[in-house]
């Protein structure tokens, strides 16, 4: 990935999509690329992961949003309610 984009994080597709929606809602451009690719996923049975990239000038704001969304507090509350 080039054009001034830097790696923000790597997540499973469901979480990566959720993060990207949050980034876009906050006017932070983003892009995602698969880590393994479809052929390896099918052949090996590995679960695909996506790398989420943002422009370097938005990295701090994106990191703050990442921490809010994935701090563990929300996930822990969800697990307790199940």
């Amino acid at each position: 990935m080039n054009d001034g984009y830097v790696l923000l994080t790597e997540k499973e597709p469901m979480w990566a999509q959720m993060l990207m929606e949050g980034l876009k809602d906050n006017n932070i451009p983003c892009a995602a690329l698969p880590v393994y690719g479809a052929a390896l996923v099918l052949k090996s049975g590995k679960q695909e992961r996506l790398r989420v990239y943002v422009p370097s000038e938005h990295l701090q704001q994106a990191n703050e949003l990442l921490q809010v969304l994935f701090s563990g507090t929300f996930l822990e509350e969800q697990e307790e309610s199940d």
Side-chain angles (χ1 to χ4, degrees):
M1 170 81 31
N2 47 13
D3 296 330
Y5 276 67
V6 294
L7 178 64
L8 174 63
T9 190
E10 183 179 303
K11 298 275 184 205
E12 292 176 5
M14 178 180 76
W15 299 117
Q17 290 298 326
M18 184 184 95
L19 172 59
M20 291 177 67
E21 286 179 27
L23 291 168
K24 289 175 184 176
D25 288 347
N26 285 279
N27 299 314
I28 301 172
C30 58
L33 293 174
V35 173
Y36 303 118
L40 182 60
V41 168
L42 289 173
K43 188 174 183 176
S44 68
K46 288 185 178 230
Q47 184 172 0
E48 183 59 276
R49 295 181 64 80
L50 297 175
R51 289 186 178 149
V52 179
Y53 295 86
V54 297
S56 58
E57 62 269 14
H58 292 282
L59 183 59
Q60 181 177 355
Q61 184 183 6
N63 265 319
E64 290 170 4
L65 181 61
L66 178 67
Q67 293 303 315
V68 168
L69 292 175
F70 297 97
S71 67
T73 305
F74 174 74
L75 296 175
E76 288 170 7
E77 289 174 0
Q78 291 293 5
E79 289 173 358
E80 289 174 6
S81 67
D82 289 341

